[in-house]
Amino acid sequence: MYDNEQYFFEALKAGAGGFVLKSAADRDLVEACRAVVRDEPFIYPGAERALVRSYLDRLHRGDGVPARPITEREEEILKLVAEGHTSKEIGELLFISVKTVERHRANLLQKLGMRDRLELTRYAIRAGLIDP
């Protein structure tokens, strides 16, 4: 994933057992998979210190855990995409244009580091947005 604590906390909330940066996947991915198979969490090296420091700084300022990475509207779109609706159907249901639906879907793919509708559907199931 991206080196952004927002995504880290969202991944954990969705049930992830580990977190590997895309830039380091070639060296950390195998180790992360082995850790998760052993039912152990995996966080990319160096993240613990940065995350703890960031968390303590936020608490000191009176802030909480970072907000989720997607907006409420994007979550609506995500649910409908995962349920198998077309862009046209989503537009009609939400009273927005097909082009707006497609822009939201592109934003979701970019924000979540995904490539297609199938990955969005899997994410929606893991995040508990829809039932499998």
Side-chain angles (χ1 to χ4, degrees), residues 56-94:
L56 292 174
D57 287 346
R58 277 196 313 278
L59 285 180
H60 183 70
R61 290 189 313 265
D63 300 337
V65 174
R68 64 186 186 186
I70 62 174
T71 66
E72 287 183 31
R73 180 58 110 182
E74 288 168 340
E75 187 175 296
E76 282 181 296
I77 302 283
L78 176 58
K79 287 178 187 178
L80 294 169
V81 166
E83 289 172 354
H85 294 280
T86 66
S87 292
K88 183 179 178 193
E89 292 170 337
I90 294 169
E92 290 171 356
L93 288 166
L94 299 179

Coordinates of all heavy atoms in Angstrom, one line a residue, residues 56-94:
L56 N 1.2 9.5 18.9 CA 1.4 10.3 20.1 C 1.3 11.8 19.9 O 0.8 12.5 20.7 CB 2.7 9.9 20.8 CG 2.8 8.5 21.3 CD1 4.2 8.2 21.8 CD2 1.8 8.3 22.4
D57 N 1.8 12.2 18.7 CA 1.7 13.7 18.4 C 0.2 14.1 18.2 O -0.2 15.1 18.7 CB 2.5 13.9 17.1 CG 4.0 13.9 17.2 OD1 4.4 14.0 18.4 OD2 4.7 13.9 16.2
R58 N -0.5 13.2 17.6 CA -2.0 13.5 17.4 C -2.7 13.5 18.8 O -3.5 14.4 19.0 CB -2.6 12.5 16.5 CG -2.5 12.7 15.0 CD -3.4 11.9 14.2 NE -3.5 10.5 14.5 CZ -2.6 9.6 14.1 NH1 -1.6 9.9 13.4 NH2 -2.8 8.4 14.5
L59 N -2.4 12.6 19.6 CA -3.0 12.6 21.0 C -2.7 13.9 21.7 O -3.5 14.5 22.4 CB -2.6 11.4 21.8 CG -3.2 10.0 21.4 CD1 -2.7 8.9 22.2 CD2 -4.7 10.1 21.4
H60 N -1.4 14.3 21.6 CA -0.9 15.5 22.3 C -1.7 16.7 21.8 O -2.0 17.6 22.6 CB 0.6 15.6 22.1 CG 1.1 16.8 22.8 ND1 1.2 16.9 24.2 CD2 1.6 18.0 22.3 CE1 1.8 18.1 24.5 NE2 2.0 18.8 23.4
R61 N -2.0 16.7 20.5 CA -2.8 17.8 19.9 C -4.3 17.7 20.2 O -5.1 18.6 19.8 CB -2.6 17.9 18.4 CG -1.2 18.3 18.0 CD -1.1 18.6 16.5 NE -1.7 17.5 15.7 CZ -1.0 16.5 15.1 NH1 0.3 16.4 15.3 NH2 -1.7 15.6 14.4
G62 N -4.7 16.6 20.7 CA -6.1 16.3 20.9 C -6.9 15.7 19.7 O -8.1 15.6 19.7
D63 N -6.1 15.2 18.7 CA -6.7 14.6 17.6 C -6.8 13.1 17.9 O -6.2 12.5 18.8 CB -5.8 14.7 16.3 CG -5.7 16.2 16.0 OD1 -6.5 17.0 16.4 OD2 -4.7 16.5 15.3
G64 N -7.6 12.4 17.1 CA -7.7 10.9 17.2 C -7.1 10.2 16.1 O -6.2 10.7 15.4
V65 N -7.6 9.0 15.8 CA -7.1 8.2 14.7 C -7.5 8.9 13.4 O -8.6 9.5 13.3 CB -7.8 6.8 14.8 CG1 -7.4 5.9 13.5 CG2 -7.3 6.1 16.0
P66 N -6.6 8.8 12.4 CA -6.9 9.6 11.1 C -8.3 9.1 10.5 O -8.7 8.0 10.7 CB -5.8 9.2 10.2 CG -5.0 8.1 10.9 CD -5.4 8.1 12.3
A67 N -8.9 10.0 9.8 CA -10.1 9.7 9.1 C -9.9 8.7 8.0 O -8.8 8.4 7.6 CB -10.7 11.0 8.5
R68 N -11.0 8.1 7.6 CA -10.9 7.1 6.6 C -10.5 7.7 5.3 O -10.8 8.9 5.0 CB -12.3 6.4 6.5 CG -13.4 7.3 6.0 CD -14.7 6.5 6.1 NE -15.7 7.4 5.5 CZ -16.9 7.1 5.5 NH1 -17.3 6.0 6.0 NH2 -17.8 7.9 5.0
P69 N -9.9 6.9 4.4 CA -9.4 7.5 3.2 C -10.4 7.8 2.1 O -10.1 8.5 1.1 CB -8.4 6.4 2.7 CG -9.0 5.1 3.2 CD -9.6 5.5 4.6
I70 N -11.6 7.3 2.2 CA -12.6 7.6 1.2 C -13.8 8.5 1.8 O -14.1 8.4 2.9 CB -13.2 6.4 0.5 CG1 -13.9 5.5 1.5 CG2 -12.0 5.6 -0.2 CD1 -14.6 4.3 0.8
T71 N -14.4 9.2 0.9 CA -15.5 10.1 1.3 C -16.8 9.2 1.4 O -16.9 8.1 1.0 CB -15.7 11.2 0.3 OG1 -16.2 10.6 -0.9 CG2 -14.5 12.0 0.1
E72 N -17.8 9.8 2.0 CA -19.1 9.1 2.2 C -19.7 8.9 0.8 O -20.2 7.8 0.5 CB -20.1 10.0 3.0 CG -19.8 10.0 4.5 CD -20.8 10.7 5.3 OE1 -22.0 10.7 4.9 OE2 -20.4 11.3 6.3
R73 N -19.6 9.8 -0.2 CA -20.1 9.6 -1.5 C -19.3 8.5 -2.2 O -19.9 7.6 -2.9 CB -20.0 10.9 -2.3 CG -20.5 10.7 -3.7 CD -21.9 10.3 -3.8 NE -22.8 11.4 -4.2 CZ -24.1 11.3 -4.3 NH1 -24.7 10.2 -4.0 NH2 -24.8 12.3 -4.7
E74 N -18.0 8.4 -2.0 CA -17.2 7.4 -2.6 C -17.6 6.0 -2.0 O -17.6 5.0 -2.8 CB -15.7 7.6 -2.4 CG -15.2 8.8 -3.3 CD -13.8 9.2 -2.9 OE1 -13.3 8.9 -1.7 OE2 -13.1 9.8 -3.7
E75 N -17.9 6.0 -0.8 CA -18.4 4.8 -0.1 C -19.7 4.3 -0.7 O -19.9 3.1 -1.0 CB -18.5 4.9 1.4 CG -18.8 3.6 2.1 CD -18.8 3.8 3.6 OE1 -17.7 4.1 4.2 OE2 -19.9 3.6 4.2
E76 N -20.6 5.3 -1.0 CA -21.9 4.9 -1.6 C -21.6 4.3 -3.0 O -22.2 3.3 -3.4 CB -22.7 6.2 -1.9 CG -23.5 6.7 -0.7 CD -24.3 7.9 -1.0 OE1 -23.7 9.0 -1.4 OE2 -25.5 7.8 -1.0
I77 N -20.7 4.9 -3.8 CA -20.4 4.4 -5.1 C -19.8 3.0 -5.0 O -20.1 2.1 -5.7 CB -19.4 5.4 -5.8 CG1 -20.0 6.8 -5.9 CG2 -19.0 4.8 -7.2 CD1 -21.0 7.0 -7.0
L78 N -18.9 2.9 -4.0 CA -18.2 1.6 -3.8 C -19.2 0.5 -3.6 O -19.1 -0.6 -4.1 CB -17.2 1.7 -2.7 CG -16.4 0.5 -2.3 CD1 -15.7 -0.2 -3.5 CD2 -15.5 0.7 -1.1
K79 N -20.1 0.7 -2.7 CA -21.2 -0.3 -2.4 C -21.9 -0.7 -3.6 O -22.1 -1.9 -3.9 CB -22.1 0.3 -1.3 CG -21.6 0.4 0.1 CD -22.6 1.0 1.0 CE -22.1 1.2 2.4 NZ -23.1 1.9 3.2
L80 N -22.3 0.3 -4.4 CA -23.1 0.0 -5.6 C -22.3 -0.7 -6.7 O -22.8 -1.6 -7.3 CB -23.7 1.3 -6.1 CG -24.8 2.0 -5.2 CD1 -25.2 3.4 -5.7 CD2 -26.0 1.1 -5.1
V81 N -21.0 -0.3 -6.8 CA -20.2 -1.0 -7.8 C -20.0 -2.5 -7.3 O -20.2 -3.4 -8.1 CB -18.8 -0.3 -7.8 CG1 -17.7 -1.2 -8.5 CG2 -18.9 1.0 -8.5
A82 N -19.8 -2.7 -6.0 CA -19.6 -4.0 -5.5 C -20.9 -4.9 -5.6 O -20.8 -6.1 -5.7 CB -19.2 -4.0 -4.0
E83 N -22.0 -4.2 -5.6 CA -23.3 -4.9 -5.8 C -23.6 -5.3 -7.3 O -24.6 -5.9 -7.6 CB -24.4 -4.1 -5.2 CG -24.4 -4.1 -3.7 CD -25.4 -3.1 -3.1 OE1 -26.1 -2.4 -3.9 OE2 -25.5 -3.1 -1.9
G84 N -22.7 -4.8 -8.2 CA -22.8 -5.1 -9.6 C -23.5 -4.1 -10.4 O -23.8 -4.4 -11.6
H85 N -23.8 -3.0 -9.9 CA -24.5 -1.9 -10.7 C -23.6 -1.3 -11.7 O -22.4 -1.2 -11.5 CB -25.1 -0.8 -9.8 CG -26.1 -1.3 -8.9 ND1 -27.5 -1.4 -9.3 CD2 -26.1 -1.6 -7.6 CE1 -28.2 -1.9 -8.2 NE2 -27.4 -2.0 -7.2
T86 N -24.2 -1.0 -12.9 CA -23.4 -0.3 -13.9 C -23.3 1.2 -13.6 O -24.0 1.7 -12.7 CB -24.1 -0.4 -15.3 OG1 -25.4 0.3 -15.2 CG2 -24.4 -1.8 -15.7
S87 N -22.4 1.9 -14.3 CA -22.3 3.3 -14.0 C -23.6 4.1 -14.3 O -23.9 5.0 -13.5 CB -21.2 3.9 -14.9 OG -19.9 3.4 -14.5
K88 N -24.3 3.6 -15.3 CA -25.6 4.3 -15.6 C -26.6 4.1 -14.5 O -27.3 5.0 -14.1 CB -26.1 3.7 -17.0 CG -27.4 4.4 -17.4 CD -27.9 3.8 -18.7 CE -29.2 4.5 -19.1 NZ -29.9 3.8 -20.1
E89 N -26.7 2.8 -14.0 CA -27.6 2.5 -12.9 C -27.2 3.3 -11.7 O -28.1 3.8 -11.0 CB -27.6 1.0 -12.6 CG -28.2 0.2 -13.7 CD -27.9 -1.3 -13.5 OE1 -26.9 -1.7 -12.8 OE2 -28.7 -2.1 -14.0
I90 N -25.9 3.4 -11.4 CA -25.5 4.1 -10.2 C -25.9 5.6 -10.3 O -26.4 6.2 -9.4 CB -24.0 4.0 -9.9 CG1 -23.7 2.5 -9.6 CG2 -23.5 4.9 -8.8 CD1 -22.2 2.2 -9.6
G91 N -25.6 6.2 -11.5 CA -26.0 7.6 -11.8 C -27.5 7.8 -11.5 O -27.9 8.8 -10.9
E92 N -28.3 6.9 -12.0 CA -29.7 7.0 -11.9 C -30.2 6.9 -10.4 O -31.0 7.7 -9.9 CB -30.5 6.0 -12.7 CG -30.3 6.3 -14.2 CD -30.9 5.1 -15.1 OE1 -31.3 4.1 -14.5 OE2 -30.8 5.3 -16.3
L93 N -29.5 6.0 -9.7 CA -29.9 5.8 -8.3 C -29.5 7.0 -7.4 O -30.2 7.4 -6.5 CB -29.2 4.6 -7.7 CG -29.8 3.2 -8.2 CD1 -28.8 2.1 -7.8 CD2 -31.1 3.0 -7.5
L94 N -28.3 7.6 -7.8 CA -27.8 8.7 -6.9 C -28.1 10.1 -7.6 O -27.6 11.1 -7.0 CB -26.3 8.5 -6.7 CG -25.9 7.3 -6.0 CD1 -24.4 7.2 -5.9 CD2 -26.6 7.2 -4.6

